[in-house]
Amino acid sequence: MSLHQRTSARRRGPLSPECEKPLQPNAAGNDLESSLLQIFTDHHRTSLRLRETTEKAKKEAVRVADLLVDEVNGGVQESFVNEKRIEMEIRGLAASIVRFMKQSDQWLTATHSINTAIKVCLSLNYSLLFLNYRDFKFMIELWIKEFKYDFAIKEGEGPCPC
């Protein structure tokens, strides 16, 4: 086999049938040439087996890497979904807090208004009581004066100098 034939056999790839069969030494053969040819053939077979083993290992590594990536991505995707769910709950809770704050402000305003109204009513009631008492006292004093005046006129004395 010439050098050209050997390089063309290498170019055909690891699965070509020509590469699989051992090279035959020529019948007139030189021992050195046949030994070198045998070494070359053994080396070629070994490299083919090594290449096939390497390819299988690469394929297995790629498969395992894909499985690992899928597993990690699944966890990341689940974390992402959980994060979105938590964000939605936070927004809902924030809206509830705002609503409760407004409602609390309304309750505080209402209780302040009721408190103010009660104070006004009590103050007005007290003022009316006080004014009524003063008015009542004033009316009694006027009535007494008039009564004395009327009594003095009837007795013939003249108006009361009270």
Side-chain angles (χ1 to χ4, degrees), residues 75-92:
V76 169
Q77 185 178 10
E78 184 178 340
S79 297
F80 184 72
V81 168
N82 288 340
E83 181 183 2
K84 289 296 181 184
R85 188 178 319 138
I86 290 170
E87 286 177 1
M88 293 299 288
E89 288 181 26
I90 288 171
R91 286 186 194 125

Side-chain angles (χ1 to χ4, degrees), residues 73-139:
N73 283 344
V76 169
Q77 185 178 10
E78 184 178 340
S79 297
F80 184 72
V81 168
N82 288 340
E83 181 183 2
K84 289 296 181 184
R85 188 178 319 138
I86 290 170
E87 286 177 1
M88 293 299 288
E89 288 181 26
I90 288 171
R91 286 186 194 125
L93 289 173
S96 295
I97 289 170
V98 169
R99 189 175 67 243
F100 287 139
M101 285 175 53
K102 288 179 182 177
Q103 193 175 25
S104 297
D105 288 343
Q106 290 172 346
W107 276 105
L108 287 172
T109 303
T111 54
H112 180 70
S113 298
I114 290 171
N115 192 20
T116 303
I118 290 172
K119 284 180 183 177
V120 167
C121 287
L122 289 176
S123 176
L124 185 60
N125 191 18
Y126 177 74
S127 297
L128 287 176
L129 286 175
F130 181 71
L131 286 175
N132 285 341
Y133 173 74
R134 281 183 32 206
D135 288 344
F136 182 70
K137 185 179 173 186
F138 180 71
M139 286 175 23

